[in-house]
Amino acid sequence: MSKKMELKKKGVLLTIDLSFYLEMSGKPNLDAGEVGLITKHWQRWFSFFNAYTLGEPKGFLIIFLGKEVEKEIEAAWVTSPSKGYALDLMAKTMLMSAVKEFIPELATLKCAPVPKVNKQIRRKVASVGLEVKKNGILNHKYAVFTYFPYKGGCEVCLLKENCPGANNQFGK
């Protein structure tokens, strides 16, 4: 890739999408305690939310929550598995809600393909504190790295051979 790719911080206004949270959870409804938990953490975690584009008009989207969120969720799993599950799902909802803001097609396609990367892209991604491993996975649990704008589904995804979604591991 000879062209210089610029990394740009992006702002996004995320509102809590409880219907998307419910869809991801597979539950028919939420009780008041869950709504309070989600609302409290959503507002607080927004300070750990990061969104970047790398290369425009065609390039990549990087969205992640800081490691503080990951540590908090891990601690919640130990003290209360139900709280840990709710917070884990809320973090994933927050990420995918943001991805859908940037890439509206994902609202119906539901999959953000993992791109193949080179050293230059790895260095740029590393400059925001993330590592792209050779298998395309990021070193943050709550992170999404995909093509921007939308470039295609399974045919361009680095994980196509071992995709949990394609192998029906998401309960589709």
Side-chain angles (χ1 to χ4, degrees):
M1 189 169 284
S2 59
K3 148 179 136 167
K4 185 176 178 182
M5 299 192 85
E6 188 176 349
L7 187 68
K8 293 182 181 177
K9 178 109 171 129
K10 297 292 186 175
V12 63
L13 179 60
L14 286 178
T15 56
I16 301 171
D17 187 346
L18 291 176
S19 63
F20 185 49
Y21 178 92
L22 277 171
E23 179 184 334
M24 288 186 56
S25 75
K27 294 165 66 172
N29 54 40
L30 297 172
D31 63 39
E34 288 174 293
V35 173
L37 180 74
I38 293 165
T39 303
K40 172 186 162 190
H41 285 81
W42 187 285
Q43 292 168 347
R44 194 167 53 74
W45 286 356
F46 196 74
S47 64
F48 302 114
F49 176 83
N50 298 279
Y52 294 87
T53 56
L54 175 57
E56 287 185 20
K58 293 182 179 181
F60 307 95
L61 177 66
I62 307 162
I63 294 181
F64 65 99
L65 291 167
K67 283 285 193 178
E68 301 87 348
V69 172
E70 189 171 330
K71 289 176 186 173
E72 186 174 339
I73 293 170
E74 287 173 0
W77 276 108
V78 172
T79 59
S80 169
S82 62
K83 180 179 179 182
Y85 174 77
L87 293 178
D88 175 76
L89 187 59
M90 204 261 328
K92 291 172 183 174
T93 301
M94 187 178 224
L95 289 174
M96 291 312 294
S97 293
V99 172
K100 289 188 317 183
E101 287 295 315
F102 287 97
I103 307 171
E105 299 93 328
L106 293 182
T108 55
L109 299 170
K110 311 233 188 259
C111 184
V114 175
K116 294 176 185 174
V117 298
N118 59 30
K119 287 181 184 179
Q120 177 190 13
I121 295 168
R122 278 194 177 88
R123 279 195 295 274
K124 290 287 188 174
V125 172
S127 73
V128 297
L130 295 176
E131 175 190 351
V132 182
K133 299 177 183 177
K134 290 191 189 244
N135 63 0
I137 304 299
L138 295 168
N139 66 327
H140 274 45
K141 183 173 184 176
Y142 301 102
V144 175
F145 177 55
T146 193
Y147 295 101
F148 181 70
Y150 185 75
K151 184 177 177 177
C154 297
E155 67 276 3
V156 297
C157 185
L158 181 62
L159 302 179
K160 66 182 163 190
E161 301 299 321
N162 299 308
C163 176
N167 294 312
N168 204 25
Q169 294 176 18
F170 289 142
K172 290 182 180 178

XYZ file of all heavy atoms in Angstrom, residues 41-93:
437
model
N -23.996 2.454 33.123
C -22.719 2.101 32.515
C -22.543 2.708 31.128
O -21.436 3.085 30.755
C -22.543 0.582 32.491
C -22.207 0.034 33.839
N -23.156 -0.205 34.803
C -21.020 -0.274 34.382
C -22.568 -0.643 35.883
N -21.271 -0.709 35.666
N -23.611 2.781 30.368
C -23.517 3.375 29.032
C -22.979 4.799 29.151
O -22.053 5.188 28.434
C -24.882 3.369 28.356
C -24.877 3.795 26.918
C -24.741 5.059 26.417
C -25.012 2.937 25.781
N -24.794 5.050 25.054
C -24.962 3.757 24.626
C -25.182 1.565 25.620
C -25.075 3.250 23.342
C -25.298 1.064 24.342
C -25.239 1.893 23.217
N -23.555 5.580 30.034
C -23.137 6.976 30.187
C -21.698 7.074 30.663
O -20.919 7.876 30.151
C -24.077 7.697 31.156
C -25.471 7.863 30.598
C -26.494 8.303 31.637
O -26.250 8.272 32.826
N -27.664 8.699 31.152
N -21.317 6.257 31.623
C -19.960 6.302 32.163
C -18.938 5.767 31.161
O -17.858 6.321 30.999
C -19.900 5.502 33.465
C -18.649 5.764 34.265
C -18.740 5.230 35.679
N -19.112 3.842 35.761
C -18.305 2.818 35.473
N -17.089 3.037 35.073
N -18.721 1.581 35.598
N -19.280 4.686 30.472
C -18.339 4.068 29.534
C -18.120 4.886 28.274
O -17.150 4.664 27.568
C -18.810 2.669 29.156
C -18.625 1.654 30.243
C -18.026 1.837 31.453
C -19.055 0.308 30.203
N -18.062 0.677 32.173
C -18.688 -0.279 31.431
C -19.718 -0.462 29.268
C -18.958 -1.607 31.729
C -19.990 -1.781 29.565
C -19.606 -2.345 30.782
N -19.000 5.816 28.018
C -18.811 6.625 26.821
C -17.473 7.378 26.877
O -16.870 7.659 25.855
C -19.983 7.575 26.588
C -19.999 8.123 25.192
C -20.377 7.329 24.121
C -19.589 9.417 24.938
C -20.363 7.820 22.818
C -19.569 9.922 23.645
C -19.954 9.115 22.582
N -16.979 7.661 28.082
C -15.683 8.338 28.203
C -14.524 7.419 27.787
O -13.414 7.891 27.552
C -15.467 8.855 29.628
O -15.402 7.774 30.531
N -14.765 6.119 27.697
C -13.747 5.155 27.264
C -13.961 4.714 25.815
O -13.277 3.818 25.328
C -13.763 3.917 28.168
C -13.524 4.231 29.617
C -14.523 4.031 30.543
C -12.306 4.731 30.053
C -14.319 4.314 31.886
C -12.087 5.013 31.381
C -13.093 4.804 32.309
N -14.906 5.332 25.155
C -15.266 4.969 23.782
C -14.339 5.684 22.794
O -14.050 6.862 22.944
C -16.724 5.361 23.515
C -17.156 5.106 22.111
C -17.578 3.855 21.721
C -17.112 6.123 21.170
C -17.963 3.614 20.415
C -17.495 5.899 19.861
C -17.919 4.634 19.481
N -13.881 4.953 21.786
C -12.987 5.510 20.770
C -13.439 5.081 19.382
O -13.801 3.913 19.185
C -11.561 4.985 20.984
C -11.004 5.395 22.317
O -10.536 6.510 22.472
N -11.064 4.496 23.294
N -13.391 6.009 18.441
C -13.717 5.694 17.053
C -12.720 6.413 16.150
O -12.435 7.601 16.341
C -15.136 6.139 16.717
N -12.191 5.665 15.179
C -11.225 6.194 14.230
C -11.526 5.651 12.838
O -12.028 4.539 12.696
C -9.792 5.748 14.579
C -9.258 6.293 15.864
C -9.487 5.631 17.068
C -8.503 7.463 15.885
C -8.983 6.129 18.262
C -7.994 7.961 17.074
C -8.241 7.287 18.260
O -7.737 7.782 19.436
N -11.159 6.446 11.849
C -11.085 5.918 10.491
C -9.617 5.948 10.102
O -8.848 6.793 10.569
C -11.922 6.738 9.485
O -11.514 8.104 9.532
C -13.413 6.605 9.776
N -9.260 5.027 9.257
C -7.895 4.938 8.752
C -7.987 4.873 7.242
O -8.482 3.895 6.683
C -7.201 3.686 9.298
C -5.798 3.379 8.778
C -4.843 4.548 9.042
C -5.271 2.106 9.419
N -7.595 5.968 6.598
C -7.696 6.055 5.143
C -9.093 6.447 4.709
O -10.066 5.854 5.138
N -9.183 7.487 3.921
C -10.471 7.910 3.371
C -10.261 8.315 1.930
O -9.196 8.829 1.593
C -11.040 9.084 4.182
C -11.546 8.673 5.539
C -12.228 9.804 6.301
O -12.656 10.791 5.659
O -12.330 9.710 7.506
N -11.183 8.120 1.059
C -12.555 7.692 1.309
C -12.707 6.182 1.498
O -13.744 5.727 1.936
C -13.311 8.147 0.064
C -12.290 8.096 -1.024
C -10.982 8.441 -0.366
N -11.678 5.395 1.185
C -11.775 3.955 1.393
C -10.668 3.541 2.346
O -9.517 3.902 2.161
C -11.645 3.189 0.073
C -12.795 3.433 -0.856
C -12.651 2.624 -2.116
C -13.852 2.888 -3.029
N -13.797 2.122 -4.245
N -11.046 2.782 3.360
C -10.055 2.346 4.333
C -10.681 1.442 5.369
O -11.328 0.448 5.038
N -10.531 1.869 6.634
C -10.933 1.016 7.738
C -11.608 1.836 8.829
O -11.385 3.035 8.953
C -9.706 0.312 8.328
C -8.904 -0.420 7.289
C -7.812 0.183 6.684
C -9.260 -1.693 6.899
C -7.083 -0.479 5.711
C -8.535 -2.364 5.924
C -7.450 -1.758 5.331
N -12.393 1.138 9.633
C -13.045 1.714 10.801
C -12.534 0.967 12.022
O -12.477 -0.268 12.015
C -14.566 1.554 10.684
C -15.404 2.045 11.850
C -15.296 3.570 11.998
C -16.870 1.638 11.654
N -12.144 1.718 13.030
C -11.646 1.155 14.281
C -12.503 1.726 15.402
O -12.530 2.948 15.593
C -10.175 1.536 14.524
C -9.310 1.165 13.324
C -9.668 0.910 15.822
C -7.964 1.867 13.295
N -13.182 0.860 16.115
C -14.007 1.300 17.238
C -13.679 0.402 18.423
O -13.627 -0.821 18.280
C -15.505 1.218 16.890
C -15.822 2.221 15.781
C -16.366 1.459 18.125
C -17.256 2.256 15.351
N -13.432 1.026 19.583
C -13.133 0.204 20.751
C -13.439 0.929 22.049
O -13.507 2.147 22.100
C -11.678 -0.269 20.728
C -10.636 0.818 20.839
C -10.027 1.103 22.049
C -10.241 1.535 19.717
C -9.051 2.094 22.142
C -9.271 2.522 19.795
C -8.668 2.809 21.021
N -13.631 0.129 23.080
C -13.772 0.621 24.441
C -12.439 0.374 25.137
O -11.808 -0.667 24.929
C -14.893 -0.123 25.172
C -16.293 0.173 24.651
C -17.295 -0.837 25.198
C -16.707 1.588 25.040
N -12.021 1.311 25.976
C -10.746 1.184 26.675
C -10.674 -0.059 27.544
O -11.686 -0.655 27.910
N -9.460 -0.447 27.891
C -9.216 -1.636 28.719
C -9.911 -1.533 30.081
O -10.194 -2.548 30.709
C -7.717 -1.848 28.916
C -7.020 -2.435 27.715
C -7.324 -3.915 27.589
C -6.394 -4.571 26.586
N -6.608 -5.991 26.473
N -10.191 -0.308 30.540
C -10.882 -0.126 31.814
C -12.227 -0.846 31.802
O -12.641 -1.440 32.799
C -11.110 1.371 32.110
C -9.843 2.202 32.172
C -9.383 2.744 30.820
O -9.880 2.319 29.764
O -8.485 3.601 30.830
N -12.907 -0.785 30.656
C -14.214 -1.436 30.525
C -14.048 -2.948 30.603
O -14.798 -3.635 31.307
C -14.909 -1.014 29.211
C -16.163 -1.814 28.973
C -15.204 0.485 29.234
N -13.058 -3.461 29.915
C -12.805 -4.904 29.938
C -12.527 -5.388 31.367
O -13.067 -6.404 31.809
C -11.619 -5.227 29.030
C -11.399 -6.694 28.800
C -10.354 -6.971 27.729
O -10.188 -6.161 26.788
O -9.701 -8.022 27.856
N -11.714 -4.650 32.094
C -11.392 -5.018 33.478
C -12.633 -4.979 34.363
O -12.839 -5.847 35.214
C -10.315 -4.086 34.037
C -8.956 -4.320 33.422
C -7.943 -3.309 33.920
C -6.628 -3.483 33.186
N -5.670 -2.426 33.509
N -13.460 -3.975 34.171
C -14.688 -3.856 34.961
C -15.632 -5.030 34.694
O -16.243 -5.581 35.609
C -15.380 -2.529 34.655
C -16.569 -2.260 35.539
C -17.160 -0.880 35.311
O -16.483 0.014 34.783
O -18.340 -0.711 35.683
N -15.754 -5.408 33.447
C -16.641 -6.526 33.097
C -16.083 -7.835 33.654
O -16.834 -8.655 34.196
C -16.865 -6.590 31.575
C -17.656 -5.359 31.125
C -17.588 -7.877 31.182
C -17.749 -5.181 29.626
N -14.777 -8.034 33.555
C -14.164 -9.245 34.114
C -14.425 -9.335 35.614
O -14.730 -10.417 36.134
C -12.659 -9.265 33.827
C -12.326 -9.557 32.387
C -10.846 -9.400 32.061
O -10.041 -9.062 32.963
O -10.490 -9.607 30.885
N -14.324 -8.220 36.328
C -14.587 -8.203 37.768
C -16.060 -8.498 38.054
O -16.380 -9.208 39.017
C -14.183 -6.858 38.369
N -16.947 -7.992 37.214
C -18.383 -8.234 37.407
C -18.713 -9.714 37.240
O -19.545 -10.254 37.985
C -19.201 -7.390 36.432
N -18.078 -10.382 36.277
C -18.320 -11.823 36.071
C -18.013 -12.602 37.346
O -18.716 -13.559 37.686
C -17.457 -12.367 34.936
C -18.015 -12.168 33.565
C -17.562 -11.292 32.621
C -19.117 -12.856 32.952
N -18.315 -11.394 31.478
C -19.277 -12.349 31.649
C -19.993 -13.844 33.394
C -20.256 -12.790 30.774
C -20.974 -14.295 32.520
C -21.097 -13.765 31.235
N -16.967 -12.199 38.073
C -16.546 -12.912 39.282
C -17.565 -12.732 40.402
O -17.911 -13.688 41.103
C -15.144 -12.427 39.739
C -14.759 -13.001 41.096
C -14.104 -12.782 38.685
N -18.061 -11.508 40.569
C -18.980 -11.232 41.674
C -20.428 -11.579 41.364
O -21.180 -11.972 42.252
C -18.902 -9.751 42.100
O -19.238 -8.933 40.970
C -17.515 -9.408 42.598
N -20.821 -11.430 40.102
C -22.203 -11.706 39.705
C -22.242 -12.068 38.226
O -22.196 -11.178 37.376
C -23.086 -10.482 39.962
O -24.358 -10.648 39.354
N -22.341 -13.360 37.919
C -22.386 -13.744 36.505
C -23.503 -13.062 35.716
O -23.306 -12.710 34.554
C -22.584 -15.256 36.558
C -21.968 -15.659 37.860
C -22.286 -14.527 38.802
N -24.639 -12.824 36.339
C -25.721 -12.167 35.598
C -25.363 -10.709 35.287
O -25.644 -10.214 34.197
C -27.049 -12.249 36.359
O -26.954 -11.582 37.594
N -24.696 -10.036 36.221
C -24.251 -8.660 35.966
C -23.137 -8.669 34.919
O -23.120 -7.829 34.017
C -23.766 -7.999 37.251
C -23.302 -6.569 37.056
C -22.858 -5.928 38.358
C -22.368 -4.502 38.122
N -21.886 -3.880 39.363
N -22.211 -9.623 35.028
C -21.141 -9.734 34.046
C -21.695 -9.939 32.657
O -21.245 -9.311 31.689
N -22.691 -10.812 32.535
C -23.316 -11.066 31.237
C -23.979 -9.795 30.701
O -23.803 -9.436 29.535
C -24.349 -12.191 31.338
C -25.128 -12.400 30.075
C -24.567 -13.069 28.991
C -26.424 -11.895 29.936
C -25.270 -13.248 27.808
C -27.129 -12.063 28.757
C -26.555 -12.737 27.701
O -27.250 -12.903 26.526
N -24.724 -9.107 31.554
C -25.426 -7.893 31.131
C -24.430 -6.819 30.674
O -24.655 -6.156 29.650
C -26.307 -7.358 32.263
N -23.337 -6.652 31.413
C -22.344 -5.634 31.042
C -21.582 -6.021 29.774
O -21.302 -5.171 28.932
C -21.379 -5.384 32.202
C -21.990 -4.742 33.442
C -20.940 -4.583 34.535
C -22.646 -3.411 33.111
N -21.268 -7.307 29.637
C -20.610 -7.785 28.425
C -21.500 -7.507 27.208
O -21.038 -6.976 26.199
C -20.334 -9.290 28.557
C -19.765 -9.901 27.297
O -18.570 -9.703 27.019
O -20.533 -10.588 26.584
N -22.749 -7.841 27.325
C -23.693 -7.627 26.232
C -23.880 -6.138 25.952
O -23.966 -5.716 24.802
C -25.031 -8.282 26.571
C -26.071 -8.305 25.475
C -25.564 -9.042 24.247
C -27.336 -8.979 25.986
N -23.866 -5.331 27.006
C -24.021 -3.887 26.827
C -22.817 -3.296 26.098
O -22.967 -2.470 25.207
C -24.197 -3.210 28.186
C -24.911 -1.902 28.113
S -23.926 -0.401 28.135
C -22.531 -0.709 29.099
N -21.610 -3.765 26.434
C -20.413 -3.276 25.745
C -20.471 -3.655 24.268
O -20.166 -2.837 23.395
C -19.158 -3.854 26.400
N -20.883 -4.874 23.972
C -21.005 -5.313 22.577
C -22.087 -4.525 21.850
O -21.928 -4.174 20.677
C -21.294 -6.808 22.521
C -20.106 -7.636 22.966
C -20.455 -9.106 23.085
C -19.257 -9.898 23.598
N -19.614 -11.302 23.867
N -23.175 -4.222 22.544
C -24.243 -3.416 21.960
C -23.735 -2.013 21.645
O -24.017 -1.463 20.579
C -25.457 -3.339 22.912
O -25.940 -4.658 23.159
C -26.572 -2.485 22.344
